[in-house]
Amino acid sequence: MIDHRIPEPFHEGELRAQQLAGGGPAGAPIRSQMPDQHRQFFSLLPFVYVAVADAQGWPLATLLHGDPGFASSPAPGQLRIAALPDPGDPAAPHFRRGAEIGILGIDLGTRRRNRENGVIAQVDGEGVLVDVHQSFGNCPKYIHLRQLVPVARERGGIEAFGGELLPDAVRLIAECETMFVASASGGTAQVGARGLDISHRGGEAGFLRLAGNVLTVPDYPGNRYFNTLGNLLLEPRAALVMVDFASGDILQLQGRAEIAWQNGALSDARAERIWTFSIARGWLRRAAFPLVEHHNIRQ
């Protein structure tokens, strides 16, 4: 049996983050191809979260959705997603052949999640084919359980803004329990460990703290890979996406991150450190998510 694990899966930023945090993982089952369980898992999902980069190299975080089966793996080294970003999604123009991409498949009903990072090999009118370079699972900690079902929504408009947030964006952040961050390893990472990544951050409503246009994010104990924080050490530009699961509103943000490795004034006892995200710009896409929590369905 061929072992497709990557000999040194971590780039210099991740290794530095592990050092600053007091140590990395005992092992790192990061593979260059998708194992069968990942291939099967993606075929069950109605949506995936995605990271791409814009023309200036800023990460963008978004999501793609479809009926279960819209994501499939025709071969261990490939992932096909039969969907493209919605019109008006700021990420839409940047789905192109040769572009780096990070993908997170997550089942909020079981807390299971797997990540795939790679390059877009093909783009057509139906979706994208991704050549997978990294495939790995994540622990289920801090994922808020949700049972989501399809819902018919009347799409709203798209509101763009700068560092001064819209009131509904402020409210969404205050109520957020599930957030995703897109980051990039930067041009100095070695081939095989470089690229885009998207990961989950979660907690109780209020775990994200907003002051003006600066968002403070607690960093809870995890798998100690430090993919996101390692990326931010090399490239502080990042992006966030979060969903109001009741209204279907999707909030996308771009900004710059800064990590506080030692912080004696943590208000969250579980956090090992914090990082801040200074918001540069954002988009609020109204009623753009086609699923709703089961308990929010009108009887």
Side-chain angles (χ1 to χ4, degrees):
M1 183 176 179
I2 298 174
D3 187 350
H4 291 286
R5 286 177 294 182
I6 300 171
E8 176 50 79
F10 299 118
H11 60 65
E12 62 185 275
E14 292 163 330
L15 294 172
R16 176 60 177 158
Q18 292 167 14
Q19 181 184 42
L20 290 167
I30 298 176
R31 296 175 171 85
S32 61
Q33 294 189 355
M34 299 176 68
D36 287 345
Q37 60 178 340
H38 289 198
R39 300 175 69 195
Q40 295 162 5
F41 172 69
F42 273 88
S43 70
L44 303 175
L45 300 175
F47 61 90
V48 295
Y49 286 86
V50 177
V52 293
D54 67 16
Q56 287 73 46
W58 283 83
L60 274 163
T62 190
L63 57 89
L64 301 176
H65 53 81
D67 294 331
F70 88 108
S72 61
S73 175
Q78 294 182 320
L79 182 64
R80 169 74 179 174
I81 303 175
L84 291 168
D86 295 334
D89 185 332
H94 309 296
F95 278 66
R96 62 187 185 279
R97 185 174 181 273
E100 293 176 334
I101 187 169
I103 303 165
L104 172 65
I106 186 167
D107 182 349
L108 297 177
T110 64
R111 293 194 176 106
R112 185 179 172 190
R113 54 178 167 160
N114 290 315
R115 279 152 68 174
E116 317 297 328
N117 299 338
V119 173
I120 297 176
Q122 297 176 17
V123 184
D124 56 37
E126 301 298 324
V128 297
L129 179 67
V130 175
D131 285 340
V132 173
H133 294 168
Q134 290 187 327
S135 180
F136 55 106
N138 280 149
C139 66
K141 291 181 180 179
Y142 319 114
I143 298 177
H144 187 84
L145 276 172
R146 302 178 189 275
Q147 297 297 331
L148 300 175
V149 295
V151 63
R153 299 190 193 273
E154 183 176 350
R155 291 291 183 90
I158 301 169
E159 299 173 64
F161 54 90
E164 184 174 347
L165 275 67
L166 301 172
D168 279 349
V170 173
R171 176 195 56 77
L172 200 159
I173 291 170
E175 297 175 357
C176 178
E177 298 167 319
T178 304
M179 181 265 279
F180 299 85
V181 51
S183 58
S185 59
T188 60
Q190 69 266 28
V191 174
R194 62 193 300 174
L196 286 159
D197 186 81
I198 187 161
S199 62
H200 165 270
R201 293 293 187 273
E204 296 83 8
F207 87 102
L208 301 174
R209 303 295 179 89
L210 183 67
N213 73 327
V214 178
L215 191 63
T216 298
V217 183
D219 194 61
Y220 298 139
N223 58 16
R224 303 197 69 81
Y225 288 7
F226 293 104
N227 304 117
T228 297
L229 298 191
N231 283 350
L232 297 179
L233 282 175
L234 300 181
E235 169 57 90
R237 295 181 298 178
L240 310 180
V241 62
M242 52 196 86
V243 176
D244 183 326
F245 292 98
S247 69
D249 290 353
I250 297 176
L251 177 63
Q252 293 163 271
L253 302 170
Q254 285 183 319
R256 293 182 180 273
E258 184 175 355
I259 307 163
W261 292 99
Q262 303 294 331
N263 191 310
L266 292 173
S267 58
D268 190 329
R270 294 175 301 173
E272 294 183 326
R273 64 198 63 81
I274 61 171
W275 52 277
T276 57
F277 181 82
S278 299
I279 298 166
R281 65 193 68 84
W283 301 262
L284 186 62
R285 297 162 48 212
R286 303 284 186 174
F289 188 66
L291 302 176
V292 67
E293 284 195 79
H294 186 267
H295 66 256
N296 283 332
I297 298 175
R298 293 182 180 180
Q299 302 296 325

